[in-house]
Amino acid sequence: EAQVTQNPRYLITVTGKKLTVTCSQNMNHEYMSWYRQDPGLGLRQIYYSMNVEVTDKGDVPEGYKVSRKEKRNFPLILESPSPNQTSLYFCASSLGPGTDTQYFGPGTRLTVL
Amino acid sequence: GQNIDQPTEMTATEGAIVQINCTYQTSGFNGLFWYQQHAGEAPTFLSYNVLDGLEEKGRFSSFLSRSKGYSYLLLKELQMKDSASYLCAVRSDTGKLIFGQGTTLQVKP
């Protein structure tokens, strides 16, 4: 089944404790992206990747890192999480950045205390 | 700057027609998407427009006017399951997808 998976789905952590949210897709998509969704602010892009080893900042990259060592995986790293990073996070992938539909993962609800 | 505007909330009656508008101002344009998102779930693709005009797909249609920076999503024969948020998103030339805040639609019996 074609899908985008994220882990964990739910996470409660404390300020400053490094964490990684994994994202994997099995559709051989080149383009992958991370978003956060907050009430009243909609979906905002954190980082995106056009292909392996190619990543670029979205609208709200501060406090986040990503890597794209393989085409299928695009982990999101929070080196020192803070409470303002409490949010719902979505990973998405598509064949390319142009006209292709993005497929979203199920979401990761993160709470930073 | 980049800006996408949609109404925050709309209410409609089961069986009726509703139109959700979206206006945008972005640097570069490479298509406009509409997504549906039920509460607590991931967005799912509804439609894509890159040329002016109307795209029809079953009960859902989407319209685009690039000169006016305007799109709308038309939902016909509303069903209770159509209660959801509808997200308008514009893709820039660099590949970035910029989302509006979303419109929460409530369908009442």
Side-chain angles (χ1 to χ4, degrees):
Chain A
E1 179 191 353
Q3 61 182 350
V4 179
T5 57
Q6 295 178 226
N7 281 292
R9 295 288 314 280
Y10 303 91
L11 179 61
I12 300 175
T13 188
V14 295
T15 299
K17 186 176 180 182
K18 180 179 178 179
L19 66 92
T20 299
V21 184
T22 64
C23 172
S24 184
Q25 49 91 7
N26 62 1
M27 296 170 277
N28 203 36
H29 284 169
E30 290 190 348
Y31 185 89
M32 297 186 75
S33 186
W34 275 104
Y35 298 89
R36 60 178 290 175
Q37 188 173 37
D38 303 289
L41 296 176
L43 276 163
R44 293 179 293 169
Q45 192 174 48
I46 303 170
Y47 269 95
Y48 62 98
S49 169
M50 299 278 208
N51 212 328
V52 175
E53 302 293 358
V54 180
T55 63
D56 209 346
K57 295 177 180 179
D59 294 316
V60 287
E62 294 79 19
Y64 304 95
K65 287 173 60 175
V66 293
S67 69
R68 187 88 182 275
K69 294 187 172 62
E70 315 162 88
K71 186 181 268 193
R72 64 182 294 127
N73 295 324
F74 190 44
L76 179 70
I77 303 153
L78 285 72
E79 294 269 3
S80 182
S82 61
N84 65 13
Q85 292 178 298
T86 293
S87 187
L88 179 59
Y89 291 87
F90 288 103
C91 178
S93 74
S94 62
L95 269 174
T99 63
D100 302 288
T101 306
Q102 281 200 91
Y103 295 87
F104 284 82
T108 295
R109 188 165 291 281
L110 172 66
T111 301
V112 183
L113 301 174
Chain B
Q2 312 208 80
N3 195 47
I4 298 180
D5 283 319
Q6 315 176 226
T8 305
E9 294 179 341
M10 297 183 73
T11 303
T13 304
E14 192 176 15
I17 300 172
V18 70
Q19 177 174 311
I20 302 174
N21 295 326
C22 171
T23 58
Y24 64 89
Q25 287 178 301
T26 56
S27 54
F29 178 84
N30 196 16
L32 186 144
F33 295 81
W34 283 96
Y35 285 84
Q36 180 190 59
Q37 186 179 24
H38 286 99
E41 298 182 9
T44 54
F45 171 79
L46 285 178
S47 70
Y48 169 73
N49 295 70
V50 67
L51 299 176
D52 291 351
L54 187 68
E55 294 279 343
E56 297 187 77
K57 195 185 287 188
R59 293 189 300 115
F60 292 4
S61 303
S62 57
F63 171 84
L64 174 67
S65 169
R66 287 171 297 169
S67 62
K68 295 181 179 177
Y70 168 70
S71 173
Y72 67 72
L73 179 70
L74 194 70
L75 292 76
K76 303 175 188 174
E77 301 169 18
L78 279 173
Q79 303 175 8
M80 297 301 292
K81 68 178 182 180
D82 296 331
S83 293
S85 288
Y86 291 86
L87 314 179
C88 173
V90 173
R91 175 155 276 152
S92 71
D93 287 343
T94 62
K96 276 174 60 171
L97 197 60
I98 306 152
F99 282 84
Q101 291 187 20
T103 299
T104 300
L105 173 65
Q106 185 178 18
V107 180
K108 295 185 174 179

